[in-house]
Amino acid sequence: MAPVERSPTLLNHGSEDEMECRGYKTNSYKAFLCLSVVFLCGGGPVGVLLAMLVFRWRPDWKLRATKSRCPLYRADAVLLKDIYGQCWTETVDIIYVPVDEWSCGQMPEGGDCSSYKEEDGDEDDEETSLTSANDKKRLCVRFFDHQHVRYIWNSNISCFTKLRGLDDTTPCSYFYQLGGLTREEQHRKCALYGENSIYIEVKSYSRLLFEEVLNPFYVFQIFSVILWSLNDYYIYASCIVVISVISISVELYEIRKQAETLRDMVALEAEVSVWRGDSVYEDIPGQELVPGDVITIPPYGTMMACDAVLITGNCIVNESMLTGESVPVTKTPLPNPPPTEGQDPCVYISEEHKRHTLFCGTQVIQTRYYGGEKVKAVVIRTGFVTAKGELVRSILFPKPMGFKFYQDAMRFLAVLAGLAVIGFSYSVYMMISFKAPVKEIILRALDMITVIVPPALPAAMTVGSVYAQRRLMKQGIFCISPPRINVSGKTKLVCFDKTGTLTEDGLDLWGVVPADMSVVKNAADLPRGALLAAMASCHSLTLIEGEMTGDPLDLKMFEATDWLLEEPGPDNTRFDILAPTVVKPVTADTFIMGASSQTPYEIGILRQFPFSSSLQRMSVITRTLGNRNMDVYLKGAPEMVASLCIKETVPPDFHTTLMRYTLQGFRVIAFAWKMLDTSIKFHHLQKIQRDQVETDLTFLGLMVMQNALKPETTPTIQQLREANIRTVMVTGDNMLTAVSVARNCRMVLSNDTVILVTANPPEEGQPAHITWTYSEHPTEDSVVQGQGQQPGKWDSGADMSEPLVEYDMSYQNIQIEEPEGTYHFAVSGKSFAVIRNHFPDLIPKMCVRGTVFARMSPNQKAQLVESLQDLGYCVAMCGDGANDCGALKTAHAGISLSEAEASVASPFTSKIPNIQCVPTVIREGRAALVTSFGSFKYMALYSMVQFVSIITLYSIDSNLGDIQYLYIDLAITTSVALFMGWQEAYPKLVPQRPLGSLMAPVNLFSVVGQVVLMIAVQVGTFVYLKQQPWFVPLKPDPKSDNILCYETTVVFSVTSYLYIVLAAAFSKGRPYRRPLYTNYVFMMSLMILLGFSTLLLLHPFTPLAKFIELKVDMPFHFRLVLLAIVSAYCIIVFVIEDFVVTSQVLRKLFRLRKKLPKNRYKLLEKELAENPDWPPVGETTYAVGEKYQDSTHS
């Protein structure tokens, strides 16, 4: 018999979806024993029903109670636990798949049939279970489905693994070997992969009602209503039922509406043309697609129903649904380099090859094809494992927010539950002492539980974010995750993308700098040649419905050449093949081919290698009409382009001239060119690899673009700085350009120092090392007045190997022994990667002092956000492009600048096209957080007030009346809780962030102080009543409710004021919300409630007093004394909340017991401030094994 696995198996190890997995199998004896215990101890059928209810809430308990632990390969059920502590149970099923169906890349971790087996439960060895059907062997596969993802048993690693398609393990050559699946093969695969659909179940109202009623909150409501009815509180119980019915009806409507909206958003029913081999094509429903199918893309586009890899032709795709990026992108065929000896074959990697992947849910606008060949793509993922499916899953199953407020709220509820147990025990004791009937003892004791744990408490926790979400919507900011609003209120650091976020979207061409001449301001004035041809052809522009579309930089560049762009047409065959795009001058100039013939000067773009963030470049292969050879034009980051060029063609002062422009904030693009050999023909182009053509190029020159700051950028950065919120720039642009923009927007102040951190990987026997150098920047006068040498002409005689040199008076090298201001690190993406791999101990310091992160890839942006979060920062991220999606989703508060109303790529989407939305989100987050705190504290104090009242009245065998409960719980508490959240956010951000923990000493002091004061008032007035000469104590009557008495009247009259005063005190205004008096509806409700409560206290006319069950014969002077006590209480409450709780003295007092900051970044800031010898500027830090050491430059 196989031993039981004691430790859980990890699924998805190392990923954010990592889960612990434990196996269980049915144990009939254990299940019978569980049922028997429940039936006998729980009172028969009632106990069984209660057990079913508990097991519904905690299915892991049911699994443990009815099944036994076993090895995973024998399990018929699994218990899953994620990294957040959430548990699920799933049933293990079996499917039968033909053995010949397994092929390379179709399964995770290898994918051969021997990996997926049915084990013999009586043996330790694992054997394959094959069955025969129609003379075909079938493989028995164990699997379970979890959150729409299928996990299959892999005996090679003795673990369940995700069922994937043809992604991340498949050789690129495999896609070109596929000849299309037959109908039979497709059906077989469908049995394993399931239907290709992202199906969102829209449950019926009856099912929704059943599931919602079984929610613990509503079960507690039902329990409370039954209890109140048994206590003869019919009116109050009826009102609660009506309110609950209305609430649940609205909730069910919203849930179903959201489900329908999501279903309609993701629904896609389309016919897809599938290649069956040879010249056979078949139109099938998109739901029947499986990985391995070869589909054709229609010439005029389609909506993708799956993820597919492009193998022939080009596609223009709108990916805004996934990325928020409105600019269409060009997709090209997957590279298929020939195998090289000694090297592993090139494999498909999703992130690396996304420019060759058509993602599910994106719109293919149009296709480009060659000759009569169709545009084909191979299906790699279907259903919920596609890019669109993953996004839908993130909406259906959001990750829990590890926010301290919610964690502390659960602890506070546990404290209230403890008090409920005490109240329950006290009630039982008092009722027994009064010799009450058993039924009354039980009802009164259970009633105490409903008092101390108010049913409305969960709703009170969300009221702040709900109202903040509505206010944000009015300001053009949409939120798809309301809990994130509260989290955004704790923001300590904001990361900004540069282009399109801090700076304008549009780029203006400042000039062109050829390699051999001065600056040319107008690109159209360039002589006809390689540089002009590069600007006219090296882009990804396309015509959509007659309008040129593409990257804004490409648009500006092409418009500056004054050329025309033509899309292919049916007669466009003058290049011998069907060229995707033709560009030509506007004028009727001709290209002279010979003395007797003139050929129009036109360039056909034959092949595109699209721009890649990781490669920092794009290139095209073109042919000029009449030429026998083809040309390669390349553009990209100047440093990258120069590294690909023949060294002799790069001007010797390339770095110096480049730096002159980047230091002034210009965006600089470099061009290069080479002529291909005439032996390369058109049919070679579709197989040639970009690294074969992007080498040994001739440097052509630079294009200098102006990218001005948005007018709102600098004031917003200043506003965040004044609020003590750190700002960081994370961009894919040039380092020195980014530093210049950071200085211009005052992210880096004029007296601050920027230190360039340059890290290099190990090479030629030298270990990885970091150099620390001061950045240079123009002197203030030269930049403002434009003095000094005109940058633009290539200087000669400079050493190209020295990137940092001094030059004419326009710039100066900052030599600072001790910087006057603070210092900031500027780190490139390449250096960031080296530091992560070889100097991981330095990453926290880079994050604490890093302000400019340039040349960062999309993945590195997300890594940076995660590193900042690990240090304890609450991070917001603001960006507008596809490169920011990962960071936007990773950040606590991701804000996407987009025209769309909501983007699934980030929690917040702003129609405000600038960073002014960031302070708005933070302000509303702070207001929502403070409101949630106030509402929670109010509900907790409301419970405590009523708890003390009931305990007091139970001591004399009395209780509050039905109408009295109704007035307190509905008229006061419900209206107050409803209108508290209407208080708007304060218009100014202050340096002090709101508290994020209910258990913070200041909050505990507030709550405990108010509880003590409230008890003092209630006990004091009760004792004062008993001292009055006219007072007649209640004589309990077993046959009566004992409500109409002096004690009940005083307790009710005084506590009515307590609820109202506490609501006002916890609705604090500045510095996070507008003053209390600006919440007009709330103020009006408080005034009405105060007026009515005063009427009940001072002069309740007889019919009203009789209706509410109040004594009317108390002396007026006694009533005035009670009013005076309540007024004094009101003053003390406001003094505590507005002066004591917020005082710096109290905060400093609590800090005395706080030895060290909890957040790591504060410890690091303190450590760096106390170490004047670090960073070692002017030195090189070498990695030595796992350690590193500093060495001074010689």
Side-chain angles (χ1 to χ4, degrees):
M1 183 174 177
V4 177
E5 301 161 352
R6 292 300 174 189
S7 58
T9 302
L10 290 181
L11 308 185
N12 311 320
H13 184 55
S15 73
E16 61 180 10
D17 295 328
E18 182 177 296
M19 296 183 293
E20 295 178 358
C21 181
R22 294 176 173 85
Y24 287 83
K25 67 175 182 178
T26 301
N27 185 326
S28 302
Y29 299 107
K30 201 172 181 181
F32 178 76
L33 180 63
C34 175
L35 181 62
S36 301
V37 170
V38 167
F39 189 86
L40 295 174
C41 300
V46 175
V48 174
L49 289 174
L50 287 175
M52 291 173 62
L53 196 60
V54 172
F55 285 159
R56 178 181 176 81
W57 297 337
R58 293 298 303 265
D60 53 315
W61 290 2
K62 179 182 179 182
L63 198 68
R64 293 188 178 103
T66 59
K67 296 178 183 288
S68 299
R69 283 289 304 275
C70 69
L72 279 177
Y73 68 85
R74 298 175 58 194
D76 56 29
V78 291
L79 174 62
L80 304 174
K81 183 179 180 181
D82 69 4
I83 57 177
Y84 305 102
Q86 300 180 112
C87 293
W88 295 271
T89 61
E90 303 292 355
T91 302
V92 178
D93 291 320
I94 294 175
I95 51 175
Y96 297 94
V97 181
V99 175
D100 59 0
E101 201 45 47
W102 311 99
S103 59
C104 177
Q106 292 181 341
M107 286 292 147
E109 309 293 341
D112 60 284
C113 64
S114 63
S115 299
Y116 301 91
K117 304 173 181 178
E118 168 80 5
E119 285 71 20
D120 187 345
D122 297 325
E123 300 292 338
D124 290 343
D125 295 333
E126 300 171 2
E127 300 177 355
T128 305
S129 173
L130 296 174
T131 61
S132 178
N134 299 327
D135 296 326
K136 290 185 180 180
K137 289 184 176 180
R138 297 190 301 172
L139 186 67
C140 186
V141 181
R142 306 172 66 85
F143 76 96
F144 67 86
D145 292 330
H146 175 63
Q147 294 184 348
H148 299 300
V149 174
R150 180 160 291 183
Y151 290 81
I152 288 189
W153 177 252
N154 186 335
S155 61
N156 283 350
I157 58 175
S158 296
C159 183
F160 285 98
T161 55
K162 274 186 181 180
L163 174 64
R164 307 291 299 184
L166 301 178
D167 55 342
D168 290 349
T169 57
T170 309
C172 292
S173 58
Y174 176 76
F175 295 103
Y176 290 91
Q177 297 167 6
L178 290 173
L181 300 178
T182 65
R183 189 75 176 171
E184 184 181 8
E185 290 171 334
Q186 189 181 56
H187 280 304
R188 290 174 184 171
K189 282 196 173 185
C190 196
L192 179 67
Y193 287 97
E195 191 177 73
N196 173 39
S197 66
I198 303 175
Y199 175 68
I200 307 297
E201 182 183 10
V202 179
K203 300 173 183 176
S204 65
Y205 279 114
S206 57
R207 183 177 169 187
L208 282 173
L209 178 63
F210 177 75
E211 292 180 354
E212 199 65 25
V213 165
L214 294 184
N215 180 293
F217 167 69
Y218 283 111
V219 169
F220 187 61
Q221 286 274 39
I222 294 170
F223 164 77
S224 301
V225 167
I226 294 173
L227 187 63
W228 293 327
S229 300
L230 293 173
N231 271 325
D232 298 330
Y233 300 153
Y234 298 116
I235 300 177
Y236 181 64
S238 301
C239 290
I240 293 297
V241 168
V242 170
I243 291 174
S244 297
V245 167
I246 294 173
S247 173
I248 202 170
S249 300
V250 171
E251 195 168 348
L252 294 185
Y253 173 77
E254 289 294 331
I255 291 173
R256 186 176 168 91
K257 182 181 177 183
Q258 289 174 7
E260 289 175 343
T261 301
L262 188 59
R263 179 197 62 188
D264 296 341
M265 183 180 78
V266 304
L268 177 62
E269 295 183 6
E271 293 283 316
V272 181
S273 179
V274 177
W275 184 38
R276 296 298 187 197
D278 298 326
S279 300
V280 179
Y281 294 88
E282 180 185 359
D283 290 340
I284 65 170
Q287 289 83 353
E288 296 181 10
L289 290 174
V290 294
D293 269 328
V294 181
I295 61 175
T296 63
I297 312 298
Y300 296 103
T302 184
M303 180 71 76
M304 290 301 298
C306 59
D307 287 356
V309 167
L310 200 60
I311 56 174
T312 62
N314 289 3
C315 292
I316 310 297
V317 185
N318 181 356
E319 294 186 332
S320 59
M321 197 285 287
L322 293 180
T323 66
E325 179 62 63
S326 58
V327 176
V329 294
T330 301
K331 302 286 184 172
T332 57
L334 181 73
N336 183 26
T340 307
E341 290 186 11
Q343 290 188 355
D344 295 329
C346 176
V347 297
Y348 173 81
I349 301 174
S350 299
E351 185 62 30
E352 225 176 83
H353 294 113
K354 62 183 180 181
R355 282 287 188 173
H356 316 290
T357 307
L358 303 172
F359 294 106
C360 179
T362 60
Q363 178 72 47
V364 178
I365 301 172
Q366 60 187 45
T367 62
R368 304 285 177 76
Y369 54 94
Y370 306 92
E373 189 174 7
K374 293 179 180 290
V375 178
K376 294 178 184 175
V378 178
V379 177
I380 58 172
R381 291 182 292 259
T382 57
F384 277 96
V385 295
T386 62
K388 181 180 178 181
E390 291 288 349
L391 286 173
V392 173
R393 284 180 64 240
S394 70
I395 296 173
L396 293 174
F397 313 105
K399 292 181 176 58
M401 293 296 300
F403 192 39
K404 207 159 187 181
F405 170 66
Y406 301 114
Q407 298 168 1
D408 290 346
M410 294 302 106
R411 293 176 191 161
F412 209 87
L413 279 174
V415 172
L416 292 180
L419 285 175
V421 173
I422 296 173
F424 180 89
S425 305
Y426 176 79
S427 302
V428 171
Y429 170 76
M430 292 304 300
M431 292 300 105
I432 292 175
S433 66
F434 285 118
K435 299 180 180 180
V438 175
K439 177 184 176 183
E440 186 177 352
I441 293 175
I442 295 173
L443 294 178
R444 288 281 187 93
L446 292 175
D447 190 38
M448 185 60 72
I449 297 175
T450 68
V451 168
I452 196 66
V453 184
L457 191 57
M461 292 171 57
T462 61
V463 66
S465 56
V466 169
Y467 286 120
Q469 185 181 22
R470 293 181 182 177
R471 290 195 296 268
L472 284 170
M473 194 178 298
K474 291 179 182 177
Q475 299 177 71
I477 303 171
F478 300 89
C479 177
I480 62 170
S481 178
R484 297 269 186 155
I485 299 175
N486 277 348
V487 179
S488 67
K490 291 292 291 178
T491 299
K492 178 63 180 175
L493 182 147
V494 185
C495 295
F496 291 101
D497 180 36
K498 182 181 78 69
T499 307
T501 303
L502 298 174
T503 59
E504 296 285 359
D505 277 320
L507 291 167
D508 296 319
L509 183 67
W510 181 86
V512 182
V513 186
D516 58 352
M517 62 178 293
S518 300
V519 175
V520 177
K521 287 289 186 181
N522 186 0
D525 295 337
L526 285 170
R528 184 163 298 165
L531 180 55
L532 183 61
M535 293 181 65
S537 60
C538 193
H539 52 72
S540 56
L541 300 177
T542 184
L543 291 175
I544 298 175
E545 296 181 357
E547 184 177 346
M548 198 179 304
T549 307
D551 187 273
L553 184 146
D554 288 347
L555 282 169
K556 287 286 183 182
M557 177 184 72
F558 185 76
E559 289 169 358
T561 62
D562 204 22
W563 280 38
L564 292 175
L565 182 142
E566 289 183 352
E567 293 286 5
D571 301 324
N572 193 352
T573 57
R574 52 189 182 278
F575 291 88
D576 300 330
I577 47 87
L578 190 61
T581 305
V582 175
V583 294
K584 61 184 180 181
V586 173
T587 59
D589 295 344
T590 57
F591 183 78
I592 308 299
M593 293 300 297
S596 59
S597 66
Q598 289 187 334
T599 304
Y601 184 40
E602 298 181 1
I603 299 175
I605 303 173
L606 310 181
R607 176 80 190 272
Q608 276 187 14
F609 296 105
F611 176 78
S612 165
S613 300
S614 57
L615 299 178
Q616 300 178 355
R617 63 183 184 268
M618 77 160 291
S619 60
V620 293
I621 300 176
T622 69
R623 185 178 147 203
T624 305
L625 192 60
N627 280 4
R628 296 184 60 192
N629 62 280
M630 300 178 194
D631 299 289
V632 176
Y633 294 105
L634 178 142
K635 82 170 190 290
E639 306 93 331
M640 176 59 69
V641 173
S643 70
L644 299 172
C645 291
I646 302 170
K647 187 174 181 180
E648 290 73 22
T649 67
V650 180
D653 63 338
F654 163 77
H655 289 288
T656 306
T657 304
L658 171 62
M659 189 159 53
R660 287 178 177 167
Y661 290 111
T662 55
L663 282 171
Q664 296 179 70
F666 289 113
R667 185 166 184 190
V668 183
I669 304 294
F671 293 94
W673 158 82
K674 84 170 180 182
M675 184 184 299
L676 291 179
D677 192 89
T678 54
S679 62
I680 297 179
K681 303 299 182 185
F682 169 74
H683 63 275
H684 296 136
L685 292 186
Q686 305 312 309
K687 298 180 180 179
I688 199 166
Q689 304 303 308
R690 71 186 298 169
D691 56 359
Q692 294 177 257
V693 298
E694 294 178 347
T695 184
D696 295 329
L697 302 165
T698 298
F699 187 84
L700 295 177
L702 302 175
M703 177 176 67
V704 184
M705 310 289 286
Q706 284 180 324
N707 191 199
L709 282 172
K710 292 181 179 179
E712 301 85 4
T713 295
T714 304
T716 303
I717 296 294
Q718 181 63 24
Q719 186 180 355
L720 294 173
R721 175 183 287 277
E722 290 173 355
N724 198 25
I725 295 174
R726 259 190 74 192
T727 52
V728 171
M729 184 190 302
V730 191
T731 177
D733 208 344
N734 173 277
M735 170 65 77
L736 296 179
T737 301
V739 172
S740 175
V741 171
R743 287 194 179 277
N744 291 340
C745 71
R746 297 185 64 77
M747 198 175 281
V748 176
L749 298 179
S750 57
N751 63 333
D752 289 351
T753 307
V754 175
I755 299 173
L756 298 177
V757 182
T758 307
N760 295 291
E763 54 186 356
E764 298 178 359
Q766 189 179 34
H769 57 279
I770 302 173
T771 56
W772 314 78
T773 54
Y774 286 122
S775 172
E776 298 178 350
H777 65 89
T779 60
E780 188 174 342
D781 293 339
S782 65
V783 173
V784 175
Q785 299 171 10
Q787 297 172 355
Q789 177 180 334
Q790 166 71 19
K793 190 168 183 177
W794 297 110
D795 298 331
S796 60
D799 184 1
M800 181 179 160
S801 64
E802 295 182 5
L804 297 176
V805 296
E806 289 193 26
Y807 28 84
D808 300 347
M809 302 304 294
S810 297
Y811 301 85
Q812 63 182 15
N813 195 355
I814 302 177
Q815 300 293 340
I816 300 176
E817 295 297 329
E818 294 183 9
E820 295 177 8
T822 186
Y823 62 86
H824 306 258
F825 289 141
V827 187
S828 68
K830 176 185 172 185
S831 297
F832 184 75
V834 173
I835 295 171
R836 273 176 59 89
N837 293 331
H838 300 281
F839 303 87
D841 291 346
L842 290 180
I843 283 291
K845 295 182 179 180
M846 294 296 111
C847 291
V848 167
R849 289 290 186 176
T851 299
V852 177
F853 294 85
R855 294 292 189 219
M856 297 285 280
S857 69
N859 192 40
Q860 286 176 326
K861 290 182 179 182
Q863 289 172 354
L864 175 63
V865 171
E866 288 176 351
S867 298
L868 291 166
Q869 290 172 330
D870 290 341
L871 293 177
Y873 284 109
C874 186
V875 182
M877 171 74 196
C878 183
D880 72 328
N883 291 343
D884 306 316
C885 283
L888 288 170
K889 292 187 71 176
T890 304
H892 291 108
I895 308 171
S896 171
L897 306 183
S898 171
E899 289 297 320
E901 283 199 2
S903 169
V904 290
S906 67
F908 298 92
T909 303
S910 172
K911 283 190 173 182
I912 306 170
N914 58 66
I915 65 172
Q916 280 183 321
C917 59
V918 174
T920 302
V921 169
I922 296 175
R923 282 199 310 269
E924 290 293 350
R926 290 182 173 187
L929 185 57
V930 171
T931 298
S932 295
F933 267 63
S935 299
F936 190 90
K937 286 162 66 177
Y938 174 73
M939 295 304 294
L941 263 296
Y942 151 74
S943 297
M944 294 302 297
V945 171
Q946 201 164 73
F947 176 70
V948 174
S949 302
I950 302 304
I951 288 288
T952 304
L953 294 176
Y954 274 12
S955 67
I956 60 169
D957 196 21
S958 182
N959 200 353
L960 292 174
D962 201 359
I963 303 301
Q964 293 170 355
Y965 271 123
L966 205 61
Y967 176 68
I968 291 172
D969 291 344
L970 291 184
I972 298 179
T973 305
T974 304
S975 62
V976 160
L978 185 65
F979 299 131
M980 277 179 84
W982 284 27
Q983 215 162 330
E984 296 183 354
Y986 195 64
K988 180 178 174 158
L989 280 176
V990 295
Q992 182 69 39
R993 293 187 301 160
L995 296 171
S997 170
L998 280 169
M999 297 301 178
V1002 172
N1003 271 333
L1004 289 178
F1005 177 84
S1006 171
V1007 173
V1008 173
Q1010 296 296 354
V1011 169
V1012 170
L1013 187 60
M1014 171 270 299
I1015 293 175
V1017 170
Q1018 289 207 61
V1019 173
T1021 53
F1022 194 75
V1023 171
Y1024 180 64
L1025 168 67
K1026 288 191 171 185
Q1027 293 174 347
Q1028 300 306 304
W1030 47 263
F1031 170 69
V1032 178
L1034 172 69
K1035 293 180 181 179
D1037 180 2
K1039 298 180 181 179
S1040 171
D1041 292 332
N1042 301 320
I1043 293 172
L1044 188 60
C1045 62
Y1046 291 116
E1047 294 93 335
T1048 303
T1049 301
V1050 169
V1051 168
F1052 169 74
S1053 301
V1054 171
T1055 55
S1056 297
Y1057 282 98
L1058 302 191
Y1059 298 118
I1060 300 168
V1061 171
L1062 287 170
F1066 290 143
S1067 299
K1068 199 177 299 178
R1070 287 188 290 257
Y1072 307 117
R1073 296 187 292 184
R1074 289 184 181 273
L1076 175 61
Y1077 59 78
T1078 61
N1079 189 350
Y1080 304 116
V1081 178
F1082 183 59
M1083 286 298 294
M1084 188 178 297
S1085 65
L1086 289 181
M1087 292 298 103
I1088 293 172
L1089 291 170
L1090 277 173
F1092 189 73
S1093 295
T1094 304
L1095 173 66
L1096 294 180
L1097 174 62
L1098 296 182
H1099 190 65
F1101 47 91
T1102 305
L1104 180 62
K1106 186 177 180 181
F1107 177 70
I1108 302 180
E1109 297 183 272
L1110 298 176
K1111 294 284 283 186
V1112 295
D1113 57 346
M1114 291 191 304
F1116 187 72
H1117 73 273
F1118 175 76
R1119 296 176 184 270
L1120 288 177
V1121 171
L1122 293 183
L1123 184 60
I1125 292 173
V1126 169
S1127 301
Y1129 167 79
C1130 178
I1131 294 171
I1132 297 172
V1133 164
F1134 275 93
V1135 168
I1136 291 175
E1137 290 300 314
D1138 290 348
F1139 298 100
V1140 179
V1141 171
T1142 59
S1143 70
Q1144 292 300 317
V1145 175
L1146 185 67
R1147 291 176 184 270
K1148 289 178 181 177
L1149 188 65
F1150 286 128
R1151 285 198 194 104
L1152 292 177
R1153 55 180 290 275
K1154 189 177 176 182
K1155 295 179 181 179
L1156 290 173
K1158 291 182 180 178
N1159 293 319
R1160 284 184 62 199
Y1161 73 85
K1162 292 183 179 178
L1163 293 172
L1164 280 169
E1165 285 173 350
K1166 183 179 180 183
E1167 178 186 331
L1168 294 176
E1170 294 173 351
N1171 186 2
D1173 299 326
W1174 199 90
V1177 181
E1179 300 181 7
T1180 301
T1181 304
Y1182 290 93
V1184 181
E1186 294 299 320
K1187 306 289 184 181
Y1188 52 86
Q1189 63 183 14
D1190 296 334
S1191 173
T1192 305
H1193 282 300
S1194 58

